[in-house]
Amino acid sequence: MADTFPIRRVDHVRHYVNNARQSAFFYQHTFGFSITGYRGLETGSSDLVDYVLEQNNIRLVFTAPLRPGLPMSDMISRHGDFVRDIAFEVDDVDWAFNEAVKRGASAELEPYWMEDDHGKVRHAAIKTYGNVLHSLINRDKYTGHFLPGFIEKNEPGDPIGLLEVDHCVGNVELGKMNEWVKWYEDVLGFKNLISFDDQDISTEYTSLMSKVMASGNGRVKFPINEPAPGKKKSQIDEYLEFFGGPGVQHVAMLTDDIVHTVSRLRARGVPFLSVPRTYYDELEARVGQIDEDIEVLADLGILVDRDDEGYLLQIFTKPITDRPTLFYEIIHRKGAQSFGKGNFKALFESIEREQALRGTL
Ligand code: FE2
């Protein structure tokens, strides 16, 4: 099928945080990212500080205000630390921006050049749900590191095999999922890969609905969740309440050795959602033969699911913020390019158990 909005890749995921220095330290010492770039007072940035962290093809940026009264402070005050921007690298920023706006996107930043001694980078941004942006970036005319204005840093982490961003999930309000599905279809030419309804993903008390959207070349995947009515408060409603509106619920990072990656993360104290041991009793009957030792997966709490093309292994951290909002997923795909219903339900039930412990169910 024709790709009507070519996206090369997720260029970076930018978080707005209160304290970028501590965020950078956390991601360096838990997830093993290297601190590779910086902008702040020392480099002439008087209002904002940014840390750039990298591991293989994943680039995270942490941005914090350096003084009171900046517009970003209001957003951080409302949402807590949050994902502000899922930036795309594109072939032609001007075409992409104009086309997106023509197809119905709201503009955040008109295309402009960022320049320094190493060349120039074209940048623009459009708004998606909540306070989330999609920057559009092209650095074909740039030989420096990351973006103009940044200095290179060399503070290596101890990497754990995280390779690239697999998908980013958005939580939106009741009744808004299909609006945003249509937005991704109309504006960015995404296709609906798979849908889960409130029958698929539910417990006795709560449920949700979800549609997985994928870019024309399949490289960028954005599931969108909305709460569904139930006897108790859906975990999506819990998110919306604590976050103060729609936003990014989780970012999934790809590994090609999930046992290694998760063992390292557990050793560094990263807390994961727990899975009942009974999940593993039926595992082989459900997913068939797999390469991994099921006992090892059970000890680490790794989930397994299957689609027509193969299987996948996943695990979810607990929220990495004080609020029950943003968390991470580690995913290892062995043939499966989609998302399994069994794991989605296991994740849903696991979050609901945590929600009950928080007293917010
Ligand atoms: Fe996910």
Side-chain angles (χ1 to χ4, degrees):
M1 250 184 281
D3 186 355
T4 65
F5 197 95
I7 293 171
R8 290 184 186 172
R9 50 170 249 155
V10 171
D11 186 89
H12 63 269
V13 178
R14 183 188 293 266
H15 299 239
Y16 273 8
V17 298
N18 255 314
N19 189 334
R21 182 186 295 259
Q22 280 190 6
S23 291
F25 189 82
F26 171 81
Y27 284 88
Q28 182 184 27
H29 288 272
T30 55
F31 291 93
F33 282 85
S34 296
I35 300 175
T36 60
Y38 173 81
R39 179 173 65 172
L41 291 175
E42 302 85 341
T43 70
S45 173
S46 58
D47 287 344
L48 305 176
V49 60
D50 297 272
Y51 286 80
V52 183
L53 279 77
E54 291 181 82
Q55 186 166 168
N56 295 303
N57 292 321
I58 306 172
R59 193 189 280 131
L60 304 179
V61 181
F62 296 91
T63 305
L66 286 172
R67 55 181 80 240
L70 300 174
M72 69 179 302
S73 301
D74 291 340
M75 277 187 239
I76 297 168
S77 162
R78 179 167 184 81
H79 301 307
D81 293 359
F82 76 106
V83 172
R84 166 64 167 161
D85 189 356
I86 302 165
F88 301 136
E89 189 189 349
V90 296
D91 295 335
D92 182 337
V93 169
D94 293 73
W95 179 86
F97 176 82
N98 291 325
E99 192 64 21
V101 170
K102 200 167 79 189
R103 296 182 195 175
S106 300
E108 171 74 15
L109 270 176
E110 301 267 337
Y112 70 102
W113 290 109
M114 305 169 79
E115 291 183 60
D116 69 9
D117 296 345
H118 303 288
K120 54 185 185 174
V121 172
R122 194 74 167 160
H123 178 218
I126 56 171
K127 296 177 189 188
T128 177
Y129 51 81
N131 276 321
V132 183
L133 305 177
H134 290 310
S135 273
L136 306 165
I137 289 176
N138 181 284
R139 57 168 70 76
D140 291 352
K141 294 188 168 74
Y142 193 62
T143 56
H145 172 261
F146 192 51
L147 294 175
F150 283 75
I151 55 162
E152 215 164 330
K153 268 201 182 254
N154 181 22
E155 297 178 14
D158 183 2
I160 55 170
L162 299 173
L163 302 174
E164 59 188 82
V165 173
D166 185 87
H167 60 274
C168 300
V169 179
N171 282 344
V172 301
E173 306 96 321
L174 180 63
K176 296 287 185 186
M177 177 180 70
N178 284 326
E179 273 181 34
W180 287 107
V181 162
K182 191 169 179 330
W183 189 92
Y184 277 97
E185 285 171 347
D186 292 350
V187 174
L188 298 184
F190 280 39
K191 304 282 184 298
N192 182 202
L193 204 61
I194 186 165
S195 302
F196 301 97
D197 64 22
D198 51 350
Q199 302 300 311
D200 296 325
I201 312 297
S202 63
T203 66
E204 185 191 344
Y205 302 117
T206 69
S207 54
L208 65 72
M209 298 202 280
S210 184
K211 289 189 175 177
V212 179
M213 305 305 293
S215 64
N217 61 15
R219 277 183 219 152
V220 181
K221 296 190 196 88
F222 287 160
I224 301 170
N225 300 331
E226 74 172 11
K231 287 183 193 160
K232 294 190 175 182
K233 183 193 284 181
S234 169
Q235 57 196 246
I236 308 305
D237 278 320
E238 183 201 35
Y239 176 100
L240 295 168
E241 177 189 329
F242 282 91
F243 190 78
V248 173
Q249 180 209 38
H250 74 267
V251 176
M253 300 188 285
L254 194 69
T255 172
D256 61 7
D257 186 352
I258 197 165
V259 168
H260 168 75
T261 300
V262 173
S263 301
R264 300 291 303 278
L265 286 170
R266 283 201 178 276
R268 293 173 187 179
V270 173
F272 289 95
L273 291 176
S274 61
V275 195
R277 201 78 191 183
T278 51
Y279 174 90
Y280 296 94
D281 297 342
E282 306 127 31
L283 188 63
E284 202 161 355
R286 205 160 55 78
V287 300
Q289 193 67 40
I290 56 171
D291 302 334
E292 293 75 14
D293 182 340
I294 289 180
E295 277 306 305
V296 173
L297 298 181
D299 286 343
L300 291 169
I302 294 168
L303 306 173
V304 191
D305 218 330
R306 186 175 276 285
D307 69 8
D308 300 341
E309 296 170 287
Y311 68 99
L312 58 88
L313 305 109
Q314 292 165 294
I315 191 167
F316 304 88
T317 71
K318 290 186 179 179
I320 50 97
T321 48
D322 294 319
R323 305 185 194 196
T325 53
L326 180 67
F327 61 91
Y328 283 89
E329 169 183 342
I330 309 298
I331 181 166
H332 181 175
R333 294 185 180 277
K334 296 189 116 169
Q337 292 308 312
S338 184
F339 297 85
K341 187 162 52 171
N343 275 6
F344 199 160
K345 194 161 164 33
L347 167 65
F348 185 77
E349 290 167 353
S350 186
I351 295 179
E352 192 179 274
R353 286 192 295 275
E354 297 282 323
Q355 209 185 337
L357 292 174
R358 288 192 281 266
T360 57
L361 180 60

